[in-house]
Amino acid sequence: MRKLSEIVIQSGKRIYQDIIPVALFSIMGALVLVPFVFFLPVGISLFVLPFVIVPLCAGALHATHRMMKGERPKLSVLFAGAWKFALPSFVIAFATSIFILIIVSTWWYYGGKPGMLYFALAVFQTYFVAMVLVSQLYALPLIVQQGLGVFTAMGRSVKLFLAHPGYTVGAFVQLLSVTVLLGLTVIGFAALYLGMYAIYSNLVTANLLAKPEEDEGENGKTGSYAGLSPSAGERLDAVSVPGQ
């Protein structure tokens, strides 16, 4: 297994090489989100968005997973993946929404009460729920890469987290940092985030699943993607529009 710093460098390299597919996947995903963000009431939008974003993430994982194995990048694969993994995506979206709601309600309830005891309870509960969220970092990539059932993938993600806690927390912090930085610029988020998330998450997960001989792949390629993907320059003309 490679160090996280190597995976971050490898992710940046792959994103740069495949910048056109990354941008196209991200822009198409952002266009799908536009009606839910700008035209729905805030309350409804907050409820619906997780059930739209997570399937889009699954679709992006599916599209980049196939692209990084050497297949031609196609926008149609993004939507095919979102549809194929819709049900497990809804389960993960629901579970994530519940955990976030627990954190928000914890601070709403305990935050308004005086005394260190309530503050300590809020901090402890937030830490516990946050670790549960972090432990699911690999669930969606495992579903896409290995075709696992949603609950099997969630359980295996927890096992990977317990086996590699430092790596997992570091990977989550890196992803969170990129999310915040790109979120500060709407255009940057819309044009890059979905594709960047997919490539990074696929590489981070594949690195944990890699066999020792796969870690020695040519050209520094990681995990199950070692030596399998042609350069971006050879595939730019292969990017197709939906339906092709």
Side-chain angles (χ1 to χ4, degrees):
M1 189 185 85
R2 296 178 182 272
K3 296 179 180 179
L4 180 60
S5 58
E6 296 180 48
I7 303 303
V8 173
I9 295 171
Q10 181 68 20
S11 299
K13 180 180 177 181
R14 292 307 303 260
I15 291 164
Y16 175 76
Q17 290 176 335
D18 295 315
I19 189 61
I20 292 180
V22 165
L24 289 175
F25 293 153
S26 302
I27 291 170
M28 289 304 299
L31 289 176
V32 173
L33 294 175
V34 166
F36 300 96
V37 174
F38 293 103
F39 300 110
L40 289 179
V42 175
I44 297 176
S45 178
L46 290 175
F47 176 79
V48 173
L49 274 177
F51 299 94
V52 179
I53 293 174
V54 178
L56 284 174
C57 288
L61 286 166
H62 178 62
T64 55
H65 174 60
R66 292 177 59 172
M67 179 184 74
M68 292 163 70
K69 290 178 68 176
E71 297 185 23
R72 295 190 300 178
K74 296 181 180 180
L75 288 174
S76 58
V77 178
L78 171 71
F79 298 105
W83 175 257
K84 179 179 180 180
F85 300 107
L87 185 57
S89 297
F90 290 157
V91 173
I92 291 175
F94 178 76
T96 302
S97 299
I98 292 297
F99 292 137
I100 293 175
L101 183 61
I102 289 173
I103 293 176
V104 173
S105 61
T106 294
W107 285 99
W108 174 79
Y109 181 75
Y110 291 118
K113 294 180 178 294
M116 287 299 298
L117 176 61
Y118 294 109
F119 178 77
L121 288 172
V123 170
F124 173 78
Q125 191 159 312
T126 300
Y127 173 79
F128 177 78
V129 175
M131 287 301 100
V132 173
L133 282 172
V134 172
S135 74
Q136 295 306 306
L137 179 66
Y138 311 114
L140 205 56
L142 284 170
I143 292 170
V144 172
Q145 291 184 20
Q146 299 199 328
L148 300 180
V150 60
F151 296 110
T152 302
M154 293 173 76
R156 188 167 185 190
S157 184
V158 172
K159 291 179 181 179
L160 289 172
F161 166 64
L162 294 176
H164 307 279
Y167 177 91
T168 305
V169 171
F172 183 84
V173 170
Q174 290 282 353
L175 182 59
L176 184 63
S177 299
V178 171
T179 302
V180 172
L181 289 173
L182 285 178
L184 295 176
T185 60
V186 176
I187 295 177
F189 189 89
L192 291 174
Y193 181 73
L194 195 61
M196 292 179 67
Y197 157 79
I199 287 179
Y200 176 72
S201 295
N202 272 324
L203 285 173
V204 163
T205 305
N207 184 47
L208 287 184
L209 303 176
K211 298 176 183 178
E213 60 269 21
E214 291 177 329
D215 282 329
E216 302 301 324
E218 296 179 0
N219 301 322
K221 294 206 169 133
T222 307
S224 60
Y225 303 119
L228 291 176
S229 177
S231 66
E234 297 172 352
R235 294 182 289 109
L236 294 184
D237 58 348
V239 179
S240 63
V241 297
Q244 290 186 336

